Amino acid sequence: MDDCTPFSFCKQKEQVRHNSIQKQKRLTMKINYKIFVAIALFFVASSCDDMFDLDINTDPNNPAQASNNLLLTQSEYTLLNNLAGGVNNNQMGFMGIIGSGDSWNLAQSSYNGFWTDMYTGPLKDLDGLIAANTGATGSPQYLGIAQLLKAYGYATLVDLFGDVPFSEAAKGDAADKIINAKFDDDAAVYAECLKLIDEGIKNVNTVFRPLPITGDIIYNGNTERWAKFGKSLRMKMLLNTRLVNTNAKADIQALITENKMIAADVEDFTLQFSRTFSSAFDPRHPWYRASYTGPNGFTYVLHQPIAEMLVDKDPRISYYFRRQTKVVLNQADPSDRNTTPCSQVATCQYGYFVLSPTLPQQLYSTATLTTPQKDYLAGFFGRDRADPSGVPLDGGFRTMPGVYPAGGFFDVTAPGASTTGNANSAPGGGIFPAITSVNVLYYQIEAILALDVSGDAKALFEKAMRDHIKKVVDFGARTDANSTRPPYTRPDGVQVDIDSYVNLWLKRFDDAPSVDAKINVVLKQLWFSSWGNGYDIYNAFRRTGFPNTTQIPILTPRKFPLRLPYPQDELTVNTNAAALKDVIYDRDAIFWDK
Amino acid sequence: MKKLLLVVTLVLFAMGISLAQRNASGKVTDSKGEPLIGASILVKGTSTGTVADIDGNYSLTVPSGSEVLVVSYTGFTTQEITLGASNLLDITMAESDATLSEVLVTAIGIQREKKALGYAVTELGGDQLQQKSEPDPVRAIAGKVPGVSISGAGGGPGQSTKINIRGFSSLTGNTQPLFVVDGIPFDNSTNTSNRDAQSSGNAYSSRAFDIDPNNIESITILKGAAAAALYGSRATNGVVVVTTKTGGKSTRKGLEVTYNSSYQIEEVSGLPDYQNSYGQGSGQNYNGGFIGNWGAPFSTEVDRLNGQYGTAYNKVIVNGYPEGTVPHPLVSTGFALAQGYDKVFPNLLDANGRAIAVPYRPYDIVGGFFETGKMWENSLSISAGGKEAGLNAVISRMTNEGIVPNAGASRTSLSFGGNANLANGLKVSGNVTYVNTTQQTPPTAGSIVGGNSFTATDGSIFTRLFFLPRNFDLNGSNPEGIPYPFENPADGSNVFYRALDNPLWLTKYNRYSSNVNRVYGNLALSYDVLPWLNLTGRGGINSYSDARKSVERQGGVADPDGEVWTDNIDNTEIDLNYLATVNTTLGENFDIRLIGGFNWNQRSSTSRYVVGDQLISIGLNNTDATAIQNSNESIRKQRFYAAYGDLQLGYKNFAYLGLTARNDFSSTLPEQNRSYFYPGVNASLVLTDMLGIANNFLGYAKLRGAWTQVGNEASPYQTVTNYRLGIPFVTAGGATRNRATLENTLRNANLVNELTTEIEFGTDIRLFKNRVGVEVTWFKRNSVDQITSTQVASSSGFSSAVVNAGEIENKGWEVLLNLTPIKMANGFEWNTTFNFTRIRTLVVDAGEGREIFIGGLTDSGGGVIHREGEQYGQIFGSKNARTPEGDILINKSLGLTIPLPTLEIIGNPNPDFQLGIINTFSFKGFSLNTLIDWRQGGDMYLTTAGALLLRGQLKATEDREGVRVIPGVYGDPQTFEPITDENGQYIKNTTGITAFDYHFSDGFGVYGADETNVYDITNIRLREVTLGYTFPKKLLSKTPIGSARITVSGRNLWWRAPNILEGVNQDPEVLAENPSNNVQGLEYGGYPTTRRYGVNLSVTF
């Protein structure tokens, strides 16, 4: 009886007591009976058995333990969802692909949320998984997966921030709890991560104590693919360190020779987001959430990638972008004029495509557009890089993410799915392509060109382009039934096909006069392939300075970010962060960026 | 009060040893012949005595040899009367000058003579709270009690209220005092629901709103630890002791029926001074899709501006449209066309399919939106009593319709109580109250107004209402009768000029409602076991359920698919107290009273909510009628018991010493730390009595002092770090994967109790025959081992940790000054009271991090922070870079300020002092009562001011031709250092910018550095006015009416905040967050405050 109250449950006892009091009163008339009644008052309540039980402080709402599968799903989702979010957009913005951080003007508070979400989320839960599965009773497979994911998480943090807490991180609840984790040297964290990868691969390959691995929303418990992911991650990290690590070449060569990295679509390290959502939990692709479910949500696609994809007849264009409008803004109407891209600054290179003095000429060799051409170009409504203009009411005009990778629509196949109200009608289920077989190919190409490891760079470059286009097209076909495989005719009447596109780029590769120039071509192609994943292109640019053909930002209050600014919260609260207050993000490079 | 005294004195003198010689009897009255109930009559030199009954009659057996009676009564001069021949002796007593000897209800219902108290206590009678145009009993206290600070969340019916007594005693935990109603703790939580558009929280009610002011007999504020220590843990923040009419023991002999009725109207208390020269757009160009008002001038202003500035504005705003008109924005802007409004509203198109012309002129958008609110209050009290028993009943109902359409609240209360002295010597008393409180409102939460809404309340009326384009005719009030529809006639979906929810649409369809049923009651039994020993037991239950629902219709922007949620909150508290009281004397000079007590308390609450997403049947606002539901259940329970003792020693009625001690055992602390002890001591010395120096100048002087500790427990479940189960992830393939994560708050298995130590000293002085009364109190309260959730570096894996850390020191002065400047023979009297409060709350120790960010939000992501060495809860935000000399740095290329990337303290929200001035003028039947409240100092981050600047709304930004140059020197935006010329000198800024740029980005608007939006909110207000007339008894003598009084009253009638940006006219007495949140000094643009006035009638039969 936990809810004993003196006025309900205990009534019967009161009666019993009252009776016994009556009896006593007769026996001892001279003793003041009032005392007994008064005392009875006390016992009325206190006779309830557990009234004095104070051991009721166990939280009835939340469990003290969580099983492997619960933690694994949580860790995988939160890790990749965090990495697919704003910090991913920013890296694409740094590189001039979308309008997010594209003027490089970062604030000390910009990454508070990301940092906190990483450390208090997946990195803590992965440590929990590792602790629970270390030792005789643990599952080596869960352990290995957790180690690989942890290595991926921390290596990514190092790429972004440099020195980060690692050895003492996420130990707030440890037996020897550490509240102020020290910041470990970035090179040392990288080395530890490489060790974790080795252990992780060893553990997932263990044949002992195999448990059915549930809760794995990346590889569905396929340990062989986890091992391949481990090797690929190793490759990525080694390539990152190639300027400072004398062993990088040999180690990379070994990985290539061994040939156990991600090589097929099904082996891609991607998170496919959900199609099921509620207002309390919406695990759909971040771009989908931004552009298909709310007004003005998605940032601007920058004009350079669109324009160049139009000119190059890139077959991916209708998969990448969904046009919303055919309306050509009337420059005589002040409302329309103000809404027009680049109407507020004079220095745009691309401007408003449909009224551009140069682009139609470039595309169609004529300045006079046909109606289909006009309709088509009117839908490409983005911004020049770092355009400082205010944001007009152009949510109904902006070019949106298409079917790949956000899970939206193939270009305009489903008109009416506008940015407001009648949303949520697109297929959904987009992906974050974190490390794919194509990324691995680009690692190899750069290694061949820059480090002279064995391999045919041109052949791999061709494969990389074809594989990426195939990935995009296949995903589109799976996701939006209206997707049209190349070759197809663009709505402006232009035919696009894979072979001519690939050949165009192979020629550019061949025409490049030097190794550096070839790297520049390859990485520019990686730039186009980075739609939805800004990590590799941002790393590559810091490592190589390529591609060097991106538009100069119109306004740059700051220089190019060599790293992300440390979060204000961590600098303020962590007593071990004092030395890092002097780190300036556009001046101080991380260890592998020499 | 006289009746209370009767009870006390009955206890003291109940038993006399009988050696009957003669019987004296008679009647004790005051000079007007009114009986003095409970006057004490004592045979001098003995302990034999009695008290006068309800009619003032007494009867006493006087032992042989004794012939002098000592007659005393609080507030009257004690008399010694020698018995003559007659045994019948009527006694008339004279009022004494020192009227401080009133009896107050102190902790756990113990009644004490005020002069014996070693600490400050303030009592308010029900008449000070009723018929003041204020349905919230807590808000009615504002300005009337020194040391108490009260702020309403806003002007919405039933909106919450924050009350702080003697500052703040917790860094992150509760700072709200304990409410005790008729001896039983009364939950005053402001419960928040986890999900909804109200999530910034200040729209909810605080549950003290369930108390009907009409049923309040008195409120006693126990301010300090000394006064409140016997309430234990929860007394740390002071105690508000409410005695209801039905719970009070006073009943009148016979039957009395009182009827109170009140009708009030309410209006918005301030609207911005809008500019009426420029319309929608930017850069002085019209844009029908913009929010801001930096567009083309209205055509009526064109000639003036062109003449004045040589500008070349055209009266034709849009080519092809007549002068002074623009195309109807709902069928012409890109947004509107993308929504297909041109298909929906063919009536807004002309024959050519073009948008019709609408006037381009300013409208009264905001004023036209609000309605006149109403409040209607009726209450019937019945009091009936006999010699041994009495009963009271109160029934009342209050309804309040707010200034926002469809916002309202109601309260219906039934209360019944009684007391009886049974034949067997048992005294029994108790009461029970049922109250139903409802609240409903469209989404009116505080909500930020930059382009980027930074709270989750996009769907609030106040997201845009104050910031609409001057020419957007929201209310369709244009004389041409052109409609500005707010909903799609086909499907009822939202229609607006941009992707936001139209305030009218929100008002019509979206609704939060709360329905509270509350029952509380108590029963007390008391015996005088021996003449000097009393045993009392009191138990009570206080329980409520709050059924909430929120509906967001589909077709809106913030929630296109619609949402319905329900939240059912149940809360029950049981409290038991057993007291043994010993009253005795030691020799002639010492009075001793010793109380031993035991207290048991249990609190339990449950919240069950269901969120249903994606309405599947419009109009069926039920969670079943949604596609997806998520639910959550949260249960809390805590318990404590305690033993306590209270010893009071009186010496010759002028010196008093009190000792208190209490030991608690709490379920919320770890087993090894669950028991904690805290003692206290207080003393009082009545100098005038001690020295016998009372005279016409100095009538009374008392010194008092106290030192007390109060311990405090934790909230439940703070000792173990747990996992949180998540809503499942459903893969694209449809497989359901459940999730769990270790929570982000690190709990603490070694928590110990908090401890507050308070010392206070004070003096009570009466001068000039009571024409001047002063009570001065100084206190210092230190709270250590705060159980607080401190921010930890997230690299620890946790964002916060529950720790015992920190120290807060509250120091302050409370001054109560009563003056009677005029008291004339013809009955004219002027009384004036000053309530002065000056409190400094210093964060002595903020724990390991040396500061604690407690929340809130500024545009830069700042908020409110506790920093060691600073006052409580500083405003924390971005600043503009400056030279060491303080000149603002300017970005040369932009001509704008350079906000620093770091956040700093930018304002101190704590007032320097608060002063309430009450003036009462009475003459014959008339009385006029005014309360003026003055709050000096304290800053606030005013989002509304910043947003009005940003949007070009204010009269103050009307002048916008030409360029502006921000005074300052050039600086490097990368290093935040000044740029110097070849001579090492700063370079003065000469870069001109437009008014638009000046207010729109880094500069002076809500997007600028946070510091530019911080204002000193010193304000003075006429909080309360009542003018009443009591009808003469003569006039009523032939009616059944015993007395009748009519008053007109007004509340918040006038206020000024001189240091806030001119023309904003925003009442700063609002809260950004709900009262249980310790965030202060921020304003998010929520429900504006109101002024209320009306007429009240009170009739007794």
Side-chain angles (χ1 to χ4, degrees), chain A residues 61 125 170 274 279 335 424 570 572, chain B residues 288 561 613 635 730 741 795 851:
Chain A
N61 308 302
D125 287 328
S274 184
S279 55
S335 296
N424 297 329
E570 184 79 18
T572 314
Chain B
D561 303 317
D613 282 308
I635 301 169
V730 180
T741 181
S795 57
E851 60 185 28

Side-chain angles (χ1 to χ4, degrees), chain A residues 544-592:
Chain A
T544 64
F546 301 125
N548 64 8
T549 50
T550 49
Q551 185 186 2
I552 309 295
I554 290 172
L555 181 87
T556 53
R558 304 286 296 235
K559 291 189 209 148
F560 184 79
L562 299 173
R563 66 204 300 163
L564 304 183
Y566 281 112
Q568 172 82 18
D569 286 356
E570 184 79 18
L571 291 183
T572 314
V573 180
N574 188 340
T575 52
N576 282 321
L580 301 162
K581 286 182 181 163
D582 301 330
V583 174
I584 293 179
Y585 74 84
D586 54 357
R587 183 192 67 191
D588 303 318
I590 65 166
F591 83 104
W592 53 250

Side-chain angles (χ1 to χ4, degrees), chain A residues 270-539:
Chain A
T270 63
L271 174 68
Q272 182 161 21
F273 287 89
S274 184
R275 290 174 176 166
T276 308
F277 66 97
S278 65
S279 55
F281 180 54
D282 187 351
R284 292 177 294 177
H285 193 284
W287 286 4
Y288 187 100
R289 294 200 298 257
S291 54
Y292 285 84
T293 69
N296 289 355
F298 190 70
T299 178
Y300 293 95
V301 183
L302 294 185
H303 280 151
Q304 185 187 14
I306 306 177
E308 294 188 3
M309 286 173 83
L310 283 171
V311 172
D312 286 355
K313 302 184 185 112
D314 190 323
R316 292 168 292 195
I317 192 163
S318 295
Y319 292 84
Y320 277 14
F321 308 123
R322 172 171 185 269
R323 294 171 297 123
Q324 289 202 82
T325 184
K326 293 178 178 175
V327 173
V328 179
L329 292 170
N330 174 12
Q331 300 304 298
D333 180 315
S335 296
D336 274 10
R337 193 172 60 239
N338 216 308
T339 310
T340 305
C342 293
S343 59
Q344 300 170 48
V345 285
T347 46
C348 281
Q349 183 179 342
Y350 298 94
Y352 189 37
F353 283 9
V354 68
L355 299 180
S356 161
T358 54
L359 194 67
Q361 192 69 39
Q362 226 178 327
L363 286 176
Y364 311 118
S365 306
T366 170
T368 320
L369 295 173
T370 65
T371 303
Q373 288 168 344
K374 193 186 284 178
D375 288 351
Y376 187 61
L377 287 189
F380 289 107
F381 191 101
R383 282 206 160 186
D384 274 41
R385 189 178 189 178
D387 179 348
S389 305
V391 177
L393 189 66
D394 57 3
F397 295 96
R398 289 184 201 178
T399 304
M400 295 162 69
V403 62
Y404 179 90
F409 287 120
F410 176 84
D411 199 6
V412 286
T413 52
S418 83
T419 51
T420 59
N422 49 357
N424 297 329
S425 51
I431 54 167
F432 172 48
I435 300 179
T436 68
S437 58
V438 172
N439 295 110
V440 172
L441 291 173
Y442 279 103
Y443 304 150
Q444 290 188 49
I445 299 166
E446 186 182 327
I448 293 165
L449 293 172
L451 294 175
D452 207 19
V453 300
S454 65
D456 179 347
K458 184 180 172 188
L460 289 176
F461 184 40
E462 178 172 359
K463 181 169 165 52
M465 285 190 285
R466 288 184 184 278
D467 281 3
H468 190 258
I469 293 166
K470 182 170 182 300
K471 250 185 233 300
V472 170
V473 169
D474 285 351
F475 180 81
R478 278 202 305 279
T479 306
D480 181 0
N482 292 312
S483 304
T484 313
R485 288 179 176 277
Y488 63 85
T489 307
R490 288 194 325 219
D492 61 348
V494 173
Q495 175 85 10
V496 295
D497 74 286
I498 297 170
D499 288 340
S500 33
Y501 179 77
V502 169
N503 290 334
L504 174 72
W505 277 83
L506 289 177
K507 182 168 185 308
R508 286 176 185 165
F509 181 84
D510 289 336
D511 291 348
S514 64
V515 169
D516 272 357
K518 285 188 196 305
I519 293 176
N520 199 10
V521 171
V522 169
L523 291 182
K524 185 65 181 288
Q525 180 53 230
L526 174 62
W527 188 75
F528 287 111
S529 303
S530 292
W531 184 241
N533 178 355
Y535 289 85
D536 277 357
I537 192 67
Y538 177 52
N539 287 347

Side-chain angles (χ1 to χ4, degrees), chain B residues 1072-1094:
Chain B
E1073 305 275 350
N1074 83 70
S1076 55
N1077 189 314
N1078 296 345
V1079 163
Q1080 54 172 1
L1082 302 180
E1083 181 274 334
Y1084 297 162
Y1087 207 126
T1089 67
T1090 59
R1091 96 179 124 250
R1092 207 182 279 126
Y1093 49 88

